[in-house]
Amino acid sequence: MKRILFFFIALLAMVSCQQNADLENKAVGYVCLNVETVTSTVTRALDKEGYNPKQLAVTIVNEQGQTIEQTDDYTEWVNKNIELPVGTYTIIASSNGFDGNDSGFDIPYYCGSKTVSVGANTQQTVNLTCTLATVKVSVNFTERFKTVFSK
Protein backbone atom coordinates (compact mmCIF):
# COMPACT_ATOMS: atom_id res chain seq x y z
CA MET A 1 0.00 0.00 0.00
CA LYS A 2 2.86 2.37 0.85
CA ARG A 3 4.45 1.69 -2.54
CA ILE A 4 1.25 2.51 -4.36
CA LEU A 5 0.85 5.72 -2.33
CA PHE A 6 4.51 6.67 -2.98
CA PHE A 7 4.09 5.94 -6.70
CA PHE A 8 0.91 8.05 -6.84
CA ILE A 9 2.61 11.02 -5.10
CA ALA A 10 5.66 10.77 -7.37
CA LEU A 11 3.41 10.66 -10.45
CA LEU A 12 1.42 13.66 -9.22
CA ALA A 13 4.64 15.64 -8.61
CA MET A 14 5.93 14.85 -12.11
CA VAL A 15 2.66 15.93 -13.73
CA SER A 16 2.52 19.19 -11.78
CA CYS A 17 6.15 20.00 -12.64
CA GLN A 18 5.40 19.34 -16.31
CA GLN A 19 2.38 21.67 -16.16
CA ASN A 20 4.51 24.45 -14.60
CA ALA A 21 7.13 24.01 -17.33
CA ASP A 22 4.41 24.19 -20.00
CA LEU A 23 3.01 27.38 -18.47
CA GLU A 24 6.46 28.98 -18.40
CA ASN A 25 7.07 28.02 -22.05
CA LYS A 26 3.73 29.54 -23.10
CA ALA A 27 4.11 32.78 -21.12
CA VAL A 28 3.39 35.73 -23.38
CA GLY A 29 3.38 39.50 -23.28
CA TYR A 30 1.94 42.14 -25.56
CA VAL A 31 3.48 44.99 -27.52
CA CYS A 32 1.59 47.92 -29.00
CA LEU A 33 3.73 49.57 -31.66
CA ASN A 34 3.80 53.26 -32.60
CA VAL A 35 5.96 54.03 -35.63
CA GLU A 36 6.80 57.59 -36.61
CA THR A 37 8.78 58.92 -39.55
CA VAL A 38 10.80 62.08 -39.03
CA THR A 39 10.48 63.99 -42.28
CA SER A 40 11.83 67.33 -41.08
CA THR A 41 15.07 66.77 -43.01
CA VAL A 42 15.12 68.70 -46.27
CA THR A 43 15.62 66.28 -49.11
CA ARG A 44 15.98 66.69 -52.84
CA ALA A 45 15.32 63.03 -53.35
CA LEU A 46 13.13 62.06 -56.25
CA ASP A 47 10.13 59.83 -55.89
CA LYS A 48 10.44 56.49 -57.65
CA GLU A 49 7.35 55.22 -59.41
CA GLY A 50 5.56 52.60 -57.31
CA TYR A 51 7.75 53.26 -54.26
CA ASN A 52 6.40 55.04 -51.20
CA PRO A 53 9.26 55.61 -48.73
CA LYS A 54 6.82 56.43 -45.92
CA GLN A 55 5.17 53.00 -46.16
CA LEU A 56 7.20 51.28 -43.49
CA ALA A 57 7.67 47.53 -43.28
CA VAL A 58 8.17 46.20 -39.74
CA THR A 59 9.95 43.02 -38.68
CA ILE A 60 10.16 41.64 -35.14
CA VAL A 61 13.23 39.45 -34.63
CA ASN A 62 14.03 37.33 -31.56
CA GLU A 63 17.45 36.95 -29.91
CA GLN A 64 18.30 34.02 -32.17
CA GLY A 65 17.75 36.17 -35.27
CA GLN A 66 14.50 34.47 -36.27
CA THR A 67 11.66 36.59 -37.65
CA ILE A 68 8.68 36.24 -35.32
CA GLU A 69 6.26 38.76 -36.87
CA GLN A 70 6.39 41.00 -39.92
CA THR A 71 4.23 43.28 -42.03
CA ASP A 72 4.77 45.28 -45.20
CA ASP A 73 2.73 48.20 -43.84
CA TYR A 74 2.95 49.15 -40.17
CA THR A 75 -0.49 50.78 -40.30
CA GLU A 76 -1.94 47.25 -40.16
CA TRP A 77 -0.69 47.07 -36.56
CA VAL A 78 -1.95 50.47 -35.39
CA ASN A 79 -3.91 50.11 -32.12
CA LYS A 80 -3.32 46.34 -32.04
CA ASN A 81 -1.54 44.32 -29.38
CA ILE A 82 1.05 41.99 -30.83
CA GLU A 83 1.33 38.80 -28.77
CA LEU A 84 4.92 37.65 -28.28
CA PRO A 85 6.48 34.92 -26.14
CA VAL A 86 8.49 36.23 -23.19
CA GLY A 87 11.94 37.33 -24.35
CA THR A 88 13.99 40.10 -25.92
CA TYR A 89 13.23 41.29 -29.43
CA THR A 90 14.55 43.77 -31.96
CA ILE A 91 11.88 45.68 -33.84
CA ILE A 92 13.11 46.94 -37.22
CA ALA A 93 11.19 49.33 -39.46
CA SER A 94 12.29 50.48 -42.91
CA SER A 95 10.87 51.88 -46.12
CA ASN A 96 9.03 49.05 -47.80
CA GLY A 97 10.24 48.23 -51.30
CA PHE A 98 13.64 49.91 -51.15
CA ASP A 99 15.88 47.46 -52.99
CA GLY A 100 19.19 49.23 -52.45
CA ASN A 101 20.04 49.01 -56.14
CA ASP A 102 19.02 52.56 -56.97
CA SER A 103 21.03 55.44 -55.65
CA GLY A 104 20.01 56.13 -52.07
CA PHE A 105 20.90 59.77 -52.61
CA ASP A 106 18.19 60.14 -55.22
CA ILE A 107 15.52 58.08 -53.43
CA PRO A 108 14.56 58.63 -49.78
CA TYR A 109 14.93 55.67 -47.44
CA TYR A 110 13.77 55.70 -43.80
CA CYS A 111 14.72 53.19 -41.13
CA GLY A 112 14.87 52.69 -37.38
CA SER A 113 15.14 49.92 -34.81
CA LYS A 114 14.59 49.35 -31.12
CA THR A 115 15.25 46.50 -28.69
CA VAL A 116 12.45 45.59 -26.31
CA SER A 117 12.06 43.04 -23.50
CA VAL A 118 8.67 41.36 -23.27
CA GLY A 119 7.58 40.16 -19.82
CA ALA A 120 4.91 37.62 -18.95
CA ASN A 121 1.36 38.97 -18.89
CA THR A 122 2.49 42.55 -19.52
CA GLN A 123 1.48 45.06 -22.16
CA GLN A 124 3.78 47.84 -23.26
CA THR A 125 3.81 50.53 -25.90
CA VAL A 126 6.93 50.81 -28.04
CA ASN A 127 7.62 54.09 -29.83
CA LEU A 128 9.86 53.60 -32.85
CA THR A 129 11.16 56.59 -34.80
CA CYS A 130 12.43 56.18 -38.35
CA THR A 131 14.78 58.77 -39.78
CA LEU A 132 16.18 59.43 -43.22
CA ALA A 133 18.98 56.90 -43.65
CA THR A 134 20.35 57.99 -47.00
CA VAL A 135 22.02 61.34 -46.66
CA LYS A 136 24.25 63.11 -49.13
CA VAL A 137 26.56 65.70 -47.61
CA SER A 138 28.39 68.42 -49.49
CA VAL A 139 31.60 69.80 -48.02
CA ASN A 140 32.76 73.29 -48.92
CA PHE A 141 36.22 74.44 -47.82
CA THR A 142 37.24 78.04 -47.32
CA GLU A 143 40.03 79.46 -49.47
CA ARG A 144 42.28 79.67 -46.41
CA PHE A 145 41.75 75.98 -45.67
CA LYS A 146 42.53 75.11 -49.29
CA THR A 147 45.85 77.04 -49.20
CA VAL A 148 46.98 75.48 -45.92
CA PHE A 149 46.00 71.97 -46.97
CA SER A 150 46.71 72.12 -50.67
CA LYS A 151 47.61 68.47 -50.91
Side-chain angles (χ1 to χ4, degrees), residues 7-69:
F7 176 74
F8 180 72
I9 292 173
L11 182 63
L12 185 62
M14 286 180 8
V15 170
S16 66
C17 289
Q18 180 63 38
Q19 287 176 348
N20 287 342
D22 288 344
L23 288 175
E24 288 175 8
N25 290 337
K26 293 180 183 178
V28 295
Y30 300 91
V31 171
C32 183
L33 186 62
N34 290 328
V35 179
E36 175 187 8
T37 304
V38 175
T39 57
S40 61
T41 304
V42 177
T43 180
R44 293 185 186 175
L46 307 172
D47 288 332
K48 180 180 173 184
E49 188 176 328
Y51 169 68
N52 178 3
K54 294 179 185 172
Q55 179 184 340
L56 300 172
V58 178
T59 305
I60 301 175
V61 180
N62 66 11
E63 290 177 299
Q64 291 76 33
Q66 299 168 324
T67 299
I68 303 300
E69 296 283 341

Side-chain angles (χ1 to χ4, degrees), residues 67-143:
T67 299
I68 303 300
E69 296 283 341
Q70 70 181 34
T71 182
D72 289 338
D73 187 359
Y74 79 95
T75 58
E76 295 174 359
W77 288 352
V78 171
N79 297 322
K80 291 186 180 178
N81 286 326
I82 303 163
E83 183 179 292
L84 297 170
V86 172
T88 302
Y89 299 90
T90 302
I91 302 173
I92 305 162
S94 61
S95 296
N96 186 35
F98 184 76
D99 58 11
N101 292 329
D102 295 318
S103 171
F105 299 123
D106 295 335
I107 299 172
Y109 172 69
Y110 297 92
C111 69
S113 67
K114 193 167 207 173
T115 301
V116 61
S117 292
V118 175
N121 301 317
T122 61
Q123 192 269 331
Q124 60 181 306
T125 300
V126 176
N127 296 312
L128 180 59
T129 302
C130 294
T131 57
L132 189 61
T134 51
V135 180
K136 181 177 182 178
V137 178
S138 297
V139 180
N140 294 320
F141 298 109
T142 64
E143 289 303 318

